[in-house]
Amino acid sequence: MAAPADRNALSLLGTSHQSPGFGLVIVNNISVQELQQLQASTSITLIDVRTDAEVDRGVITGAHHIPLHLLPVRHGELDPAATLVVYCQSGARSAQACVWLSAQGFAEVSNLQGGIMAWMREGNALVHLS
């Protein structure tokens, strides 16, 4: 286990996760503002890993819904060269998804810090998937 000072240093880079077989993986957390800048400036793939019931309440515009438990089955739908931003309700499940996707060879993977709750706290709208 890392010493507290090491944890603080890692938090500057992102969230660290120790995963069996993956070693220490640093998750790149981005803020709502950083997500909006990415959306305005480049092509990204936005992935919502929440459950069907959660998604029924709305998603961030442009999101692709792949529930976390189906990610190992459906990750083939994603371009490994794409810039991926993953979110869930609060950021915890999406951080797990980021670790897993990174281990599968996806190079540009970011976690929306605070998840969709942070998105809504900033006053941003949700849309319904069709």
Side-chain angles (χ1 to χ4, degrees):
M1 178 175 256
D6 294 337
R7 266 192 230 115
N8 290 337
L10 287 174
S11 70
L12 296 175
L13 300 173
T15 304
S16 64
H17 293 273
Q18 185 75 35
S19 299
F22 301 137
L24 184 63
V25 177
I26 304 297
V27 175
N28 182 41
N29 286 307
I30 64 169
S31 68
V32 169
Q33 293 79 17
E34 290 169 314
L35 171 57
Q36 292 170 321
Q37 290 169 357
L38 280 173
Q39 289 174 314
S41 66
T42 189
S43 175
I44 65 166
T45 301
L46 187 60
I47 305 164
D48 186 328
V49 296
R50 297 176 301 148
T51 65
D52 291 340
E54 290 172 307
V55 166
D56 285 346
R57 294 184 293 230
V59 300
I60 297 172
T61 300
H64 302 279
H65 179 222
I66 303 178
L68 182 61
H69 73 281
L70 293 178
L71 195 56
V73 177
R74 294 184 52 197
H75 74 281
E77 299 171 20
L78 304 171
D79 178 359
T83 299
L84 306 178
V85 177
V86 187
Y87 73 91
C88 64
Q89 189 71 15
S90 66
R93 286 174 288 171
S94 50
Q96 293 173 3
C98 288
V99 169
W100 192 85
L101 288 165
S102 294
Q104 304 311 305
F106 290 83
E108 296 290 326
V109 183
S110 297
N111 179 48
L112 178 59
Q113 189 169 2
I116 202 164
M117 291 189 319
W119 179 262
M120 292 186 303
R121 265 193 310 272
E122 297 283 332
N124 297 300
L126 301 179
V127 298
H128 291 281
L129 289 178
S130 46

